[in-house]
């Protein structure tokens, strides 16, 4: 049994379901998951505190997930957990690409930098809990259909398997761009794939607009239209992904990769068919 | 500063964002949130373990969230945390209605039993991480638009405020049915509201179908159509909610209730308008 | 030539087209159809009157269609027609399940109890002729795509054929639930089928909500949202069915079962293909 | 109490609900409705037979509904019922415009010639009971939203009222074209109205295409695409009407005109508002 | 190298892209295209002026495109260009059918009379540049998907090829009705084809309504609803075409016919496949 | 009467309708428009040729429209026309921003650099005349709804008016980014505006993807998914714009700015209302 401790500080959309991706039916015998989180906050104090809790939890593999892994809070978590000597994988969003090289080459830390998990439009007159939740629902859909979630759990599954079999785990060091993501999407119809890729890139544009609206533009009457546009684009990206999956359904070609009790993944496509 | 520790064992859709609902922009000064989770698993051993971790975390208010609060795992967490003497609020799904009375009257524990957060179609040939994530995206949308998420954070905010001001907190003891949920939806157009209510009830039917498919029907060729139908109904419920919100957007009457730094909630409706 | 007399008292959605289902192009040589109806009303007096007219019409097979076959009006029609000694088939909606056993075992009357033909939201401030007609349009779509209409005419066709060939007709005694209906849907894509099944169950929820809104809740401000939600759910169920059929169209796999002049049914699927 | 006998021979979409339009909640005290129908067939023999039955039913007002009122069957019904001396109103589809003048001026018979109730694509390799039912569902939607059904029951209500109050009834003699229909649609938003008018005219084009496909073109490979196109256009017209009504819902301006127990019509628009 | 001069006077939707259809990637070596246009105006003076400019341009083939080729302006262009002795092909909309015979038999001029390129709703209170542009966007979609644009460039390509190889060009003389258009649509799914044909005929109805609204009805309150309905119908026709193409995408059967550098057309269907 | 000569070399989406935007109903008395175009090709030879034709046409204002105004062909046209001494306005797409300063400051030439008019996916295995036309239909919709077309004709109208009144025309020198475009959109609902802005930015992303697919990626299996994704994103952007306009229709707040005969623009919003 491999013990995985997931440390969450601050929120990206992947934060919502990262642990669930590993054991979607709670039936896997070869892993035990713990999550320690500071919720939305990710300043250094909050982060250090959960880092310290996590460091006490018996663990074979740490996964740290946060926005921009280069910020002080997530960096602090990483420093604390590095002391344990356990393997660490960072999962974060596009701004983390700036420290990716450092993480991998210098720190020996694995990373998955997710380009399709966009910053939210975090301006007070616009973002309330409901708008926030809807944005995350849209982002989850995009991450699901474009292959990002599949890629994440596949990489984690591989590392877990290596640990379980006492191999030296090869930590993933990957920028998850549109090409790498789509390879894991399982989409077979080329137009469904094109729609998903379009959604992925639209999601990146969402991030660009939200950064502009949140940090570069002054005055609510100027930034509100921009963050609102970002969220409309996010909704649209989610709908494109929905269309892509509906095409696969219409062709009965939805790929499923399911965790069995021993942690192996088996594949099937036809809904009423068998696992390969 | 009120210290809130959220203990998650097993998954309902609300699990994904419960902590984020309290502090959507990570800017609130009067709370500090810790989350301790056992991921998807919720058996007694896993649950006891995270209960014990959580019991060590300095806390003013515990929130326990899980499927069916009457199961051994969630019950065990509750027992462990009751020893701390801190106030406890249970958040769970419809099957928990059976122990609601006991929780409130006998144990003095608060509860929010959410009727619109449906069980997933957890059959191996159907449910993989991607299908699971998409189901949650749909459920998040329904819970957001129908008022469930608003009701949850409003109740928690009220209790937090009472604790912050050294009052005896009045723990919520509430079955969140369609009427109570919709009161918190902020939907102004009566047809938007009708669509949201329809979605809420459809989500409950999803649960019924998933229970039938997962526990009552034998043979994959018999239960697969049923769980697939449940997920199609969930997707449809989410789309209905999307339509409801689009109506409000078209009327520029989307209600926003935003957490300010001191934890107070302020309301606005017109996108380019002011807070009330 | 088999003489069929259809007696309609009160309205369910199937009432609108029951006779048309038997002879969609008015070209069938082996049947003659008469319909006697009291329109929307179904009290005992109205029902008795049309029962008496129908009893005078030369008939080989009676079909009685009404809401809740256990109510006094429909029961009265049945009593009157039983005197003729001709075979009788009752077609009615879900509440009739309560007398199904009695009909079949004690009275020797055939029945088709249709679970997907839901009660309307018959509250005065809500239901006008246009709303009523639209609800029926939605219900017709659901009954068409989910297999209910196919099942009905197939059973009637079988009985007609038995009568035509001087066999003792085996009267149908069937609760038309989601499984039995879908078997007759002809839908080949499993997701199309799942959508149709979801619609079927949503339609049953519509009935539940309309019963609640019409009979259990007092005060227009309380019941209006519920009956409006029921109708929104009905519209959504119809749209789901439309999506299901569009999938079959996209695969050119729409099943057609057409009445030929001699009453036999022939099947084809490809639009430009031949009958089997 | 006014006794209305509706005689149906053959099918247009209005046939399905004509009697229901008069008493949508079965609660009207001032009318009693009887329907006598020959189902889909409308040849002279079938028509004469139901004409004779209907002539025996105590009646204050006859309504005859059929395709093309100039055909032998419907004409025969009319002849039989004229002998009773009771007022007669013909309801029929666009081809009846050719005998409208004769009906009104020469025969003293009322008529409503409905331009938006189109002929179906009645070719054997295409039209089965399911396709037929779906076509009718679409047509019912168009007739409901464009004002045709409202116009029909308003005219009948007026005549009923005149009979009830012992006035000489003024029988309607009206070609129901797009302008007359839309006046009764109750649509307030001008674009909703434009969509409905577009649907009305599309429905007329459906008839043109079905006439072409059924009567003018030889060879299944030639006429099948045309009747299939006609039905696609019908589906589209229905969707346009759905959009029109959704606009009114979004503005909470759906007009409702409801029959009260004494047969009077009261109007309301806001869903949660009062009758005027 | 074949020199083609396209003379445009007034606007139909095909005017927008007629030259682009011949060389979609600007990579064709065997043609050189010149366009001379008088913009929206097409009176005799404007038309004569551009006819004279065009007559000076070295040309192997003239294409004249305008509304109603029988009007004085377009006729004047034709007269001027006929003097050059070069082959002329007229492309125009449905009203030109009246002079088609004269063009072909008497004048020896080729023609393509496009039935699906409808007149716009050119009433001042309704039509501004934005409405005009959107109408054209819709019309372009219909002309693209229904096969009209394919037919046009195929016919022009054929004539160009004949000129290039010094053959006597056979000028097209064709009424482009629904059947001829659809033959060029490349749509393989029969329901996609039916949707496209429905759109084509709806577009013709648009023309009928616009003619009625622009020329036959007096008073803005009378004609505005009609031209608005026409444009709604046009939007709907475009959406039908979009659905048709989406079906082909879902089946990966979109037909592409691409101009190679030497002007030959090669075909492919699977997006990631090869040219035939 | 102001004489405007529009010179088109190569294609952007605005090319299709630029002249029509000035005189949508062909009823304007104060302008005369000539268009001279080389079709899709824009190399130096073709461009010079049409430049020379255009230089001969009596003209008060030249408008040159092409992709990337800095390329040799468009530059050559500009050089030729500058010799005439007449005012020149360049309309081009985003890559032209690089020479905007030079055009304005050094050459005294006006310019409108349109950020929302994206490059097409011009790869041979993907782009045929139909795909090209559909891309343009989508782009026209985006340019119409987001305000770009309104801005273009407003600026041209202003210059025309200055010339007509013998003023020194102030040539526009403007980068048409999302903010400037949206100011001209006339959209009143803030969410409609947000959708339009999202579409505008999505269209820019289309350009980025098409540049990547056309110029940076080798191998059809690598670039085809990218250009296909770009076109899917373009389709989605168009649909977003359609939704935005539908919102305005639902609120009867579509802004119309119509050219009167004397060239003045008058505004109205309510469809059945008056000009201001």
């Amino acid at each position: 049994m491999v013990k995985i401790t997931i440390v969450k500080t601050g929120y990206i959309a992947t934060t919502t379901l990262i642990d669930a991706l590993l054991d979607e039916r709670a039936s896997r015998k070869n892993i035990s998951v713990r999550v320690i989180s500071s919720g939305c906050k990710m300043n250094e104090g909050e982060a250090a505190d959960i880092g310290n809790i996590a460091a006490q939890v018996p663990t074979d593999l740490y996964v740290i997930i946060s926005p921009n892994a280069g910020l002080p809070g997530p960096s602090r978590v990483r420093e604390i957990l590095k002391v344990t000597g356990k393997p660490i994988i960072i999962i974060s969003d596009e701004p983390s690409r700036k420290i990716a090289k450092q993480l991998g080459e210098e720190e020996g830390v694995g990373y998955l930098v997710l380009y399709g998990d966009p910053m939210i439009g975090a301006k007070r007159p616009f973002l309330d809990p409901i708008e926030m939740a809807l944005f995350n629902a849209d982002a989850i859909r995009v991450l699901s259909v474009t292959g990002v979630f599949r890629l994440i759990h596949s990489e984690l599954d591989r590392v877990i398997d290596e640990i379980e079999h006492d191999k030296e785990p090869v930590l993933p060091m990957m920028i998850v761009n549109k090409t790498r993501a789509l390879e894991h999407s399982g989409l077979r119809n080329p137009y469904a794939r094109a729609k998903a890729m379009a959604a992925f890139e639209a999601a990146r544009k969402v991030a660009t607009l939200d950064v502009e609206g949140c940090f570069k533009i002054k005055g609510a009457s100027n930034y509100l239209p921009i963050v609102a546009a970002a969220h409309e684009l996010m909704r649209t990206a989610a709908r494109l992904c929905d269309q892509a999956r509906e095409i696969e359904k219409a062709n009965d070609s939805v790929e499923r990769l399911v965790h069995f009790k021993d942690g192996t993944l088996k594949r099937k496509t036809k809904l009423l068919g068998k696992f390969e």
Side-chain angles (χ1 to χ4, degrees), chain A residues 80-122:
Chain A
I80 292 169
L81 295 181
K82 277 161 69 178
V83 176
T84 67
K86 300 295 181 185
I88 298 172
I89 298 170
I90 306 294
I91 298 179
S92 192
D93 56 5
E94 188 161 350
S96 309
R97 73 184 181 283
K98 284 174 279 183
I99 63 152
K101 204 175 176 183
Q102 174 199 322
L103 289 175
E105 297 188 6
E106 299 176 25
E107 303 193 28
V109 166
Y111 60 84
L112 294 166
V113 175
L114 313 175
Y115 275 19
D117 192 328
M119 183 183 157
I120 204 167

Side-chain angles (χ1 to χ4, degrees), chain A residues 7 10 16 28 32 56 58 70 94 99 104-105 109 123 175 243 248 250 256-257 271:
Chain A
V7 188
T16 57
R28 197 168 163 181
S32 179
Q56 304 302 318
E94 188 161 350
I99 63 152
E105 297 188 6
V109 166
K123 297 302 292 187
I175 301 293
Q243 291 166 26
E248 297 293 336
R256 296 171 195 278
L257 259 169
L271 177 59

Side-chain angles (χ1 to χ4, degrees), chain A residues 4 13 83 107 112 117 143 157 188 201 203 229 235 262:
Chain A
I4 304 142
V83 176
E107 303 193 28
L112 294 166
D117 192 328
L143 295 163
D157 284 338
R188 308 215 166 171
E201 289 298 284
R235 174 175 174 269
D262 63 357

Side-chain angles (χ1 to χ4, degrees), chain A residues 147-160:
Chain A
V148 177
F149 277 177
R150 181 72 79 203
L151 183 152
I152 292 173
H153 82 71
S154 297
E155 285 297 312
L156 294 182
D157 284 338
R158 180 182 55 71
V159 171
I160 290 165

Side-chain angles (χ1 to χ4, degrees), chain A residues 6-268:
Chain A
I6 301 172
V7 188
K8 304 177 174 180
T9 190
Y11 251 88
I12 60 175
T14 304
T15 306
T16 57
L17 287 167
I18 173 71
D19 39 310
L21 294 176
L22 297 178
D23 193 13
E24 64 276 8
R25 281 168 303 106
S27 66
R28 197 168 163 181
K29 302 292 183 197
N30 69 330
I31 62 169
S32 179
V33 173
R34 295 291 171 271
V35 180
I36 314 292
S37 162
S38 62
C40 289
K41 288 188 188 167
M42 57 183 296
N43 58 47
E44 229 180 315
E46 298 269 337
D49 190 51
I50 58 160
N52 288 325
I53 298 175
Q56 304 302 318
V57 175
T59 300
D60 300 309
L61 171 66
Y62 283 109
V63 176
I64 308 173
I65 183 164
S66 74
N68 193 348
L71 291 177
S75 299
R76 189 69 196 284
V77 173
R78 202 164 69 245
E79 285 162 25
I80 292 169
L81 295 181
K82 277 161 69 178
V83 176
T84 67
K86 300 295 181 185
I88 298 172
I89 298 170
I90 306 294
I91 298 179
S92 192
D93 56 5
E94 188 161 350
S96 309
R97 73 184 181 283
K98 284 174 279 183
I99 63 152
K101 204 175 176 183
Q102 174 199 322
L103 289 175
E105 297 188 6
E106 299 176 25
E107 303 193 28
V109 166
Y111 60 84
L112 294 166
V113 175
L114 313 175
Y115 275 19
D117 192 328
M119 183 183 157
I120 204 167
K123 297 302 292 187
R124 201 171 61 187
F126 178 64
L127 193 74
D128 76 330
I130 302 312
E131 182 79 34
M132 178 277 297
L134 291 170
F135 183 86
N136 276 286
D138 286 333
I140 291 169
R141 189 173 304 280
V142 171
L143 295 163
S144 299
V145 173
T146 58
V148 177
F149 277 177
R150 181 72 79 203
L151 183 152
I152 292 173
H153 82 71
S154 297
E155 285 297 312
L156 294 182
D157 284 338
R158 180 182 55 71
V159 171
I160 290 165
D161 184 72
E162 289 163 354
I163 293 173
E164 190 180 8
H165 294 88
D166 293 324
K167 297 182 195 160
E168 182 69 18
V170 181
L171 300 180
M173 296 183 184
M174 197 185 293
I175 301 293
V176 182
N177 58 19
K178 66 179 179 301
T179 309
R180 289 211 183 88
L182 266 293
E183 282 168 6
H184 285 78
S185 69
L187 297 166
R188 308 215 166 171
N189 177 279
Y191 295 95
R193 231 170 213 229
K195 287 176 198 293
M197 189 185 279
F200 188 96
E201 289 298 284
R204 291 182 66 203
K205 191 76 176 184
V206 168
T208 309
L209 286 166
D210 275 333
V211 167
E212 181 184 351
C214 292
F215 303 131
K216 300 183 182 168
I217 304 290
K218 300 295 169 200
S221 66
N222 296 318
Y223 65 66
L224 278 177
I226 295 172
V227 292
H231 282 218
E232 288 299 331
L233 190 52
M234 195 68 227
R235 174 175 174 269
T236 292
R239 286 162 68 92
L240 257 180
C241 285
D242 185 67
Q243 291 166 26
R245 192 163 173 94
E246 289 299 302
I247 289 174
E248 297 293 336
K249 287 184 189 172
N251 292 329
D252 194 13
S253 61
V254 174
E255 186 185 79
R256 296 171 195 278
L257 259 169
V258 179
H259 287 106
F260 275 54
K261 287 190 179 176
D262 63 357
T264 57
L265 284 163
K266 293 199 179 167
R267 187 185 314 263
K268 62 176 279 191

